[in-house]
Amino acid sequence: MITAVIDETHAPDRTSWVPGADGHADFPIQNLPLGVFSREGESPRGGIAIGDSILDLAALTRSSLLEGEAMVAASAACAPTLNAMLALGAGPRRALRRRVSALLCTGAPERGEVEPLLVPMAGATMHLPAHVGDYTDFYVGIHHATNIGALFRPDNPLLPNYKHVPIGYHGRASTIRPSGTPVIRPQGQTKAPGADAPSFGPIARLDYELELGVWLATGNDLGAPIPISEATDHVAGLTLLNDWSARDVQAWEYQPLGPFLAKNFLTTVSPWIVTMEALAPFRRPQPPRPEDDPRPLPYLWDEADQREGALSLDLEVFLSSAAMRERHIAPLRLSCGPASAMYWTIAQMVAHHASNGCQMQTGDLLGSGTISGPEDGTQGSLMEITRGGKQPVELPSGETRTFLEDGDELSLAGHFHAEGAVSIGFGACRGVVAPART
Ligand code: MN
């Protein structure tokens, strides 16, 4: 594994000449996440977020400001997806980061040449950063697995394989969309408890799942596993991911083969890839396993991964109803808490996924599974917060919710904090629920 490298790009005293970048909650100069944007009438292309602006990488390649590996990376990012750039791996990505950081930092002599290459974020449309070939959703949030397991199987919440094998299922890549995409209420087959027969129609129990998304930079050959010691090197970076879920469909369909139509109608991601380079100051030791827990098999165990495989990350979820937005009432924070309850690390997910020789590819997306803490106020889905719909949440407008209603806006936020480091974030991951199309 490449040990997380902290360099001048992370220096807490580094500031930027770009207005609004210093002190920006998500995109100060220490972040520099990668995305794909367009403006009206233009084709989508790669960009780097800085404050409330986007540095146009295609325009940057036409300047004389880049050379070497940084130029290779930026040139590969001129396309409507970042797959070609991600496939280059960490070296060129880091070279571009260092060069862009130098160009954007206070006092940079190139400021006059770089300023015209900035695009206001407000006027830009964000796209998916990469073409997703395959999407897999894991289940590494152990408190979520226990809470949900208890609702579906009160006598048997955490199945015996959970602490031995990172559980996941193959999701649907075609329905992954960037933040802001409407959440069309799906129709589905459900069977109410006590009903004689199932019925079909707009689903009633629309829920969200607060997750991390992991973008793969490089894959492996078919049949050639990725050793856990190299797994992190295959990761480009992270996003927020909302695995919208139809709980009533899920309850009826999930046995014996797991999630299907309850999950594949939409998955929303924050459009910026926060790179592994940017995350270096926020890597933490994986919390030790309780003494009674089994030690993972050797193919899932790496000392370096245990030393720095967790993240110093705080996650939040906000809900606002249409009535709240109309009355200018601030969104209700449904939950907040540290992302420390991931039972398996990102490297363990990647190594396990490829352990049977499954081919991983550039642009593959992995979901972490819902991240919940153990206490009230830290749970990452309404299913948990409302105890399966039994305890409604009261909104500041006086309305109540058990699950999401049409017009509701749900947004996720995540920020990395560490002593001696400037905090960085993911940007928006939101969606408004639209009525079913019957
Ligand atoms: Mn999920």
Side-chain angles (χ1 to χ4, degrees):
M1 170 194 288
I2 298 174
T3 302
V5 179
I6 294 180
D7 58 28
E8 78 283 0
T9 64
H10 306 96
D13 57 357
R14 179 165 282 206
T15 55
S16 175
W17 52 261
V18 178
D22 296 344
H24 197 280
D26 293 305
F27 308 130
I29 193 169
Q30 286 79 7
N31 193 347
L32 304 179
L34 303 164
V36 170
F37 75 98
S38 66
R39 290 187 297 181
E40 189 140 9
E42 297 175 350
S43 40
R45 57 199 184 275
I48 290 179
I50 175 76
D52 297 315
S53 302
I54 301 169
L55 177 62
D56 182 342
L57 288 175
L60 184 62
T61 59
R62 293 191 293 270
S63 71
S64 55
L65 295 165
L66 296 181
E67 56 184 33
E69 277 195 306
M71 183 62 174
V72 171
S75 301
C78 295
T81 70
L82 295 179
N83 294 65
M85 186 216 183
L86 300 184
L88 296 169
R93 213 170 55 221
R94 177 173 288 123
L96 180 61
R97 171 183 170 82
R98 293 181 83 157
R99 181 60 179 149
V100 166
S101 178
L103 292 172
L104 296 176
C105 80
T106 303
E110 302 89 347
R111 174 177 176 168
E113 289 169 85
V114 179
E115 234 164 355
L117 314 180
L118 291 176
V119 171
M121 221 177 255
T125 300
M126 295 305 299
H127 305 269
L128 275 187
H131 171 74
V132 184
D134 276 297
Y135 162 54
T136 301
D137 198 18
F138 280 89
Y139 201 49
V140 308
I142 189 168
H143 301 297
H144 171 77
T146 308
N147 296 340
I148 286 281
L151 291 166
F152 282 105
R153 297 176 304 274
D155 47 335
N156 192 17
L158 203 60
L159 293 169
N161 56 5
Y162 188 86
K163 294 181 174 178
H164 295 275
V165 53
I167 301 294
Y169 67 94
H170 282 116
R172 180 100 191 147
S174 68
T175 40
I176 297 166
R177 292 290 185 280
S179 176
T181 302
V183 187
I184 301 166
R185 179 178 298 276
Q187 300 192 87
Q189 183 184 137
T190 59
K191 184 170 174 294
D196 291 336
S199 58
F200 184 85
I203 63 117
R205 300 187 138 209
L206 178 61
D207 200 356
Y208 65 91
E209 292 194 335
L210 167 64
E211 306 196 16
L212 280 183
V214 179
W215 286 100
L216 284 205
T218 53
N220 55 306
D221 292 332
L222 178 67
I226 298 174
I228 188 163
S229 60
E230 297 168 17
T232 308
D233 303 340
H234 289 259
V235 176
L238 307 181
T239 57
L240 291 168
L241 185 150
N242 187 340
D243 175 20
W244 304 98
S245 298
R247 298 299 182 197
D248 35 8
V249 175
Q250 187 179 2
W252 176 228
E253 76 168 10
Y254 90 105
Q255 288 177 320
L257 285 184
F260 182 33
L261 301 186
K263 298 283 192 170
N264 70 2
F265 56 94
L266 180 68
T267 302
T268 302
V269 293
S270 55
W272 295 101
I273 300 177
V274 176
T275 65
M276 294 310 278
E277 292 71 59
L279 295 178
F282 309 103
R283 305 280 288 274
R284 289 291 174 272
Q286 176 71 349
R289 293 184 163 217
E291 247 171 48
D292 294 342
D293 285 10
R295 187 182 165 91
L297 290 169
Y299 81 98
L300 290 172
W301 190 263
D302 179 67
E303 292 295 341
D305 179 44
Q306 293 299 309
R307 277 198 305 274
E308 53 181 40
L311 295 161
S312 181
L313 166 65
D314 290 320
L315 297 168
E316 295 172 289
V317 180
F318 297 91
L319 171 65
S320 75
S321 67
M324 286 168 66
R325 295 197 299 283
E326 210 161 280
R327 291 162 56 188
H328 303 288
I329 300 174
L332 172 69
R333 189 163 74 176
L334 283 177
S335 70
C336 68
S340 55
M342 293 168 67
Y343 193 77
W344 301 98
T345 65
I346 290 164
Q348 286 172 321
M349 289 189 256
V350 172
H352 181 67
H353 204 316
S355 63
N356 64 346
C358 171
Q359 185 173 30
M360 313 296 289
Q361 294 180 301
T362 296
D364 280 0
L365 182 65
L366 312 180
S368 61
T370 310
I371 300 175
S372 294
E375 305 105 19
D376 281 354
T378 65
Q379 293 135 339
S381 70
L382 277 171
M383 185 74 173
E384 292 162 87
I385 293 170
T386 67
R387 308 287 192 273
K390 291 194 181 77
Q391 294 177 19
V393 174
E394 195 164 322
L395 306 185
S397 53
E399 302 166 280
T400 59
R401 288 291 181 275
T402 48
F403 292 95
L404 298 171
E405 303 283 340
D406 293 349
D408 284 356
E409 181 177 75
L410 197 288
S411 59
L412 313 180
H415 293 96
F416 297 87
H417 303 287
E419 208 176 315
V422 173
S423 298
I424 63 174
F426 285 111
C429 182
R430 65 168 72 98
V432 176
V433 180
R437 292 190 190 155
T438 51

